[in-house]
Amino acid sequence: MKKFILINSVLLLTSFISQAQTAYISNVGGGNGYSNNDPASIEQLNNLLEDPLIDRIELQSGIYKQTDALYLYKGEHPVEIVGLNKVTLSSNYNYYSGSNSGIVIGRSNISFENISFLNTRHCFRIKSTNVNNINLESITANNTMSCIEIDNNATESISDISINNLQSLGYYKAGVRINGTNTSNISITNSVFDGLASSDDSERSCYISGISIAGLAKDILIDKVSIANNIGGIENCGSYQQGDGIMINTGTSNIIIKNTIISNSKDADLDIKGENVTLENITSTSGKEARYNFKLWNNNFTCTDCYVSSANDSAIQAINAQVTFVNSTFKVNEDSHLCDMRNYNVDDATVDFKSSNFSYYGDLTFQPHQLSECE
């Protein structure tokens, strides 16, 4: 009898596992979503997420019009949401105005893949909700405020966020904005950001950046990323025009940036105030608009295997910082400045070069007179 009960229990468990299924959504759907021929509308996505038997939801190809953000909060089991062919969420966002739109993630254990966003305020937003284990893969965005945003007033635990193969073009504030007091373990890899898909200064925030990290965010990886053309707005923005490729504020910590190319940021390609920031294989090409390649504040920094084409004002601004470049190359000319040293709260800001070269019209043996600026 016990053997019979055990066998039945195993069969029931096997049957339950085998029932895990795919649900379907269409931009013209009106069904229950449990059949490819009877897809649900995207407004039913929350109800499908609540079903523990569903582990995959497919969005059929098409344009999904939004007049408000889609807030996903039901369920807690792992679910992947995948766009088939060309899936686009579209709204009427126009730089700093328009309907709230995009997806608000309010539950854990969820992934999104192969989805485009056009004229939406955000692609994905996380408010002050306990959220972890989020994967964003192959996401494309055109004309957003910030494609991915973790709110600045978020106090709950937000962790284990993976962003891979993101392309964000023409954002008003940033491609990715990371904030919060309990935010950690975030990776941004194999991604492209370009702030100048628009051309009007009024269409960009005063403080635009490709990636912005603030609050108390920690344990963040940026790897194999390209960032270009972050030129801040000029209307009601003060006399000093802003714009950074990567901006990392005070209070953040344990950040790795590697294998990354940054160019044409109005203020600095990298503007870093965080603690324990690792820089490896960084290419900073400056550009027509750039003032600085690096603005480094109040901490120790080492940049290893880095290439720097000196920006208009100076390659390095060290503000109460001790900076070392190792195995790096600086492209200089007669008018280039290497260092802008600022000492406010410490005895000395320092910049050292170890096993590094200075390229002067291709001559790597050149020893620039500008080295005296770094002493």
Side-chain angles (χ1 to χ4, degrees), residues 3-23:
K3 184 176 181 180
F4 176 77
I5 294 173
L6 178 62
I7 291 172
N8 274 335
S9 299
V10 171
L11 288 173
L12 285 172
L13 178 60
T14 304
S15 175
F16 178 82
I17 293 173
S18 67
Q19 291 177 31
Q21 59 186 276
T22 298

Side-chain angles (χ1 to χ4, degrees), residues 269 284-288 290-294 307-316 329-339 353 358-359 368 370 373:
D269 282 348
S284 171
T285 65
S286 63
K288 180 181 178 181
R291 291 193 188 92
Y292 301 98
N293 301 95
F294 295 84
Y307 175 84
V308 180
S309 180
S310 296
N312 296 319
D313 285 8
S314 183
I316 309 152
T329 299
F330 286 77
K331 181 182 177 182
V332 298
N333 58 44
E334 293 92 339
D335 300 322
S336 297
H337 289 281
L338 275 177
C339 298
F353 304 94
F358 301 90
S359 174
Q370 295 96 325
E373 300 170 347

Side-chain angles (χ1 to χ4, degrees), residues 167-180:
Q167 179 176 277
S168 181
L169 310 176
Y171 38 83
Y172 179 73
K173 286 190 175 180
V176 174
R177 298 179 77 200
I178 299 170
N179 219 309

